[in-house]
Amino acid sequence: MEQRKLVSFAERSAADLEVLHGSRELVHADFNPKNLLVRHDDGRWVVAAVLDWEFAFSSAPLFDVGNMLGDPRPAAFTDGFLTGFRDAGGALPTNWHQLSRALDLYSLADLPTRPVDHRYFRRAVERIRELVAS
């Protein structure tokens, strides 16, 4: 039953994701707070470095938006992230949230292939269930 829901979600998302076909930008693919170093500069926090690039590839930057915002974040964090993304030249289509969530499925799909006792296994399964239920 869960596998059918997952396949159905992926199939429904495929047509929407077609607008990103041909995107060729560097995507980190594990973009989340634990892979960022920040510093305080002129009264605000700025990114000083992005770590952990071993999964990087060329695609649509919304992959990284999905990674960063896949877990619940405080509203101020989300707003600040999206403002920074836009200010740095990132484009957010009208349905960016739906697209980024669908793209996050690709990142999440690898985690359940790891041993059940892996530290990210259970959380990945929970996030996939939440995603396909939406």
Side-chain angles (χ1 to χ4, degrees):
M1 178 73 148
E2 285 186 319
Q3 288 176 336
R4 283 193 302 249
K5 287 182 181 179
L6 178 58
V7 169
S8 177
F9 176 85
E11 288 172 343
R12 286 191 318 269
S13 300
D16 293 334
L17 292 172
E18 186 61 32
V19 300
L20 303 175
H21 181 77
S23 294
R24 292 178 181 89
E25 296 181 50
L26 182 61
V27 173
H28 183 276
D30 192 18
F31 200 60
N32 60 68
K34 72 178 175 24
N35 287 326
L36 299 178
L37 293 179
V38 296
R39 72 174 188 277
H40 206 248
D41 187 17
D42 276 337
R44 56 185 232 148
W45 293 100
V46 296
V47 175
V50 179
L51 309 173
D52 198 16
W53 286 88
E54 76 266 18
F55 299 116
F57 65 101
S58 176
S59 189
L62 284 178
F63 263 100
D64 286 341
V65 173
N67 281 166
M68 184 63 76
L69 301 179
D71 282 320
R73 308 271 185 225
F77 179 96
T78 300
D79 293 344
F81 173 76
L82 294 174
T83 296
F85 183 80
R86 286 186 198 105
D87 289 352
L92 291 173
T94 306
N95 60 342
W96 69 267
H97 191 256
Q98 175 187 352
L99 294 174
S100 66
R101 286 176 50 90
L103 290 170
D104 194 34
L105 176 61
Y106 291 95
S107 298
L108 292 170
D110 179 58
L111 295 171
T113 65
R114 298 176 187 192
V116 176
D117 60 347
H118 186 276
R119 65 183 181 174
Y120 296 123
F121 177 90
R122 182 165 296 144
R123 182 62 188 127
V125 170
E126 290 171 5
R127 282 186 53 198
I128 290 169
R129 285 177 175 151
E130 291 166 5
L131 190 61
V132 299
S134 62

